[in-house]
Amino acid sequence: MGVALESGVLVDGGRTVVVEGLRVCPTERGRGVAGTIQGFADSYLKKLYPSIQVKRMTRGDDPGPEKLSKFKLLARRAVLSLLGEAEDFDGFTEALKARLMSENAGGGAVHLPLQTEDKQLRTILLQPDLAQRLQLPGGSIIQDWQPLEPIESNLAVLRRRNLTWFVAAGSGGSPDNNRPAFLSFYTPPYPVPYGFRLNIDLYGTDPSLARGALVANLDRVRAQLRGKVAMHLYMHQAVAESLKEFCQTQSSVQWGQWRSIWEQLFLERDF
């Protein structure tokens, strides 16, 4: 019938369920299939975990005002997609590094890498004003389409995912002594039917810091790339146009299916 069943991840100390995976083929849409599966999954999860209060999800398309009215729209996040062979991303990264060095001839912010288990990263993620300072979408960090509030119980979830983070204080300051002005990470590349997928997430609203973060992530991850690669960059809408212009190089890396900037929607409703 062309339906992928829905799955859920319990987060926020058991208060929130993040749902994902439901897909219905075009010939079955509009027949109530999705609603039936969602209703069954909700009832089953509520029976197993009565503490759930909130249901959250992310979507890569706008379902329209009728369906959106059933949810609270927490955030719209910009996405850029680029495609190329692994060797193409080598040239792409070098071109971006050269451009960044030219733009920051006077010295730019340093993006220091941190592993998820680092105590410094834990301290940063638990800062009470982090969501406001970096304009986190819906007050959350969205990793591989799963929204997670930066709270103690969710740090273990992030720790299991082998992420490499980068932090920058801005204005040439050291993240050791300043609250970060930009935060980013990449998810280790994983296989998909057409090759490998690379997700890079950027948090902050400073375009110059966004460019530096992209270069830092690409430079660190490019040795892990193999075969054909689809790279998706997720960011605040305030930096999207600047980053799109920055990525327009003479390399063999091409824009993906969406030539213009597309969106990731972050939705929530009571459970």
Side-chain angles (χ1 to χ4, degrees):
M1 189 169 63
V3 178
L5 296 183
E6 182 176 298
S7 62
V9 178
L10 206 62
V11 298
D12 300 350
R15 182 179 60 87
T16 304
V17 61
V18 176
V19 299
E20 58 183 4
L22 182 63
R23 298 291 186 273
V24 181
C25 69
T27 58
E28 298 297 327
R29 291 173 187 166
R31 301 189 182 190
V33 175
T36 300
I37 294 175
Q38 287 174 336
F40 173 80
D42 286 355
S43 298
Y44 185 68
L45 283 168
K46 190 66 174 178
K47 183 178 180 180
L48 287 178
Y49 305 104
S51 61
I52 298 175
Q53 302 174 23
V54 176
K55 177 179 181 178
R56 288 180 169 176
M57 65 180 66
T58 52
R59 296 186 59 140
D61 62 320
D62 193 327
E66 182 178 350
K67 290 186 177 180
L68 274 181
S69 66
K70 301 176 183 179
F71 294 87
K72 179 181 180 181
L73 178 60
L74 297 181
R76 290 179 181 269
R77 202 173 178 209
V79 189
L80 291 176
S81 298
L82 296 110
L83 300 172
E85 300 292 334
E87 55 267 25
D88 297 333
F89 276 92
D90 269 334
F92 180 66
T93 302
E94 289 301 320
L96 294 185
K97 287 175 67 176
R99 186 169 184 180
L100 187 67
M101 291 180 63
S102 176
E103 291 178 354
N104 296 335
V110 176
H111 293 258
L112 298 179
L114 296 173
Q115 294 296 326
T116 313
E117 64 272 13
D118 288 351
K119 292 181 179 179
Q120 182 186 345
L121 179 60
R122 178 183 177 277
T123 299
I124 289 171
L125 292 178
L126 295 180
Q127 289 175 353
D129 65 339
L130 182 74
Q132 180 179 6
R133 182 158 27 93
L134 298 187
Q135 294 294 293
L136 299 183
S140 298
I141 290 169
I142 303 178
Q143 187 270 326
D144 206 11
W145 293 74
Q146 291 185 356
L148 301 168
E149 292 184 16
I151 59 177
E152 184 72 52
S153 63
N154 287 338
L155 296 189
V157 179
L158 292 169
R159 193 174 297 118
R160 292 194 297 267
R161 298 180 177 178
N162 195 28
L163 309 175
T164 297
W165 297 70
F166 290 84
V167 58
S171 303
S174 168
D176 291 323
N177 302 314
N178 297 275
R179 295 180 302 169
F182 210 90
L183 197 63
S184 63
F185 62 82
Y186 67 81
T187 300
Y190 56 88
V192 291
Y194 49 77
F196 284 82
R197 175 167 178 156
L198 170 62
N199 292 333
I200 297 178
D201 291 84
L202 309 175
Y203 294 99
T205 58
D206 186 319
S208 64
L209 293 180
R211 294 192 289 272
L214 171 59
V215 170
N217 280 269
L218 278 174
D219 199 37
R220 183 70 171 259
V221 75
R222 60 177 171 171
Q224 303 175 35
L225 301 180
R226 299 288 185 275
K228 187 176 291 295
V229 178
M231 180 177 72
H232 302 285
L233 309 175
Y234 304 88
M235 72 209 80
H236 193 284
Q237 291 181 331
V239 302
E241 288 293 344
S242 172
L243 208 59
K244 180 182 177 182
E245 191 276 332
F246 182 64
C247 288
Q248 292 173 346
T249 70
Q250 298 300 312
S251 73
S252 298
V253 171
Q254 303 293 323
W255 292 110
Q257 178 182 353
W258 304 273
R259 200 156 219 346
S260 59
I261 299 166
W262 55 291
E263 287 187 322
Q264 179 187 63
L265 275 62
F266 181 15
L267 307 174
E268 176 187 272
R269 70 168 175 82
D270 292 336
F271 194 74

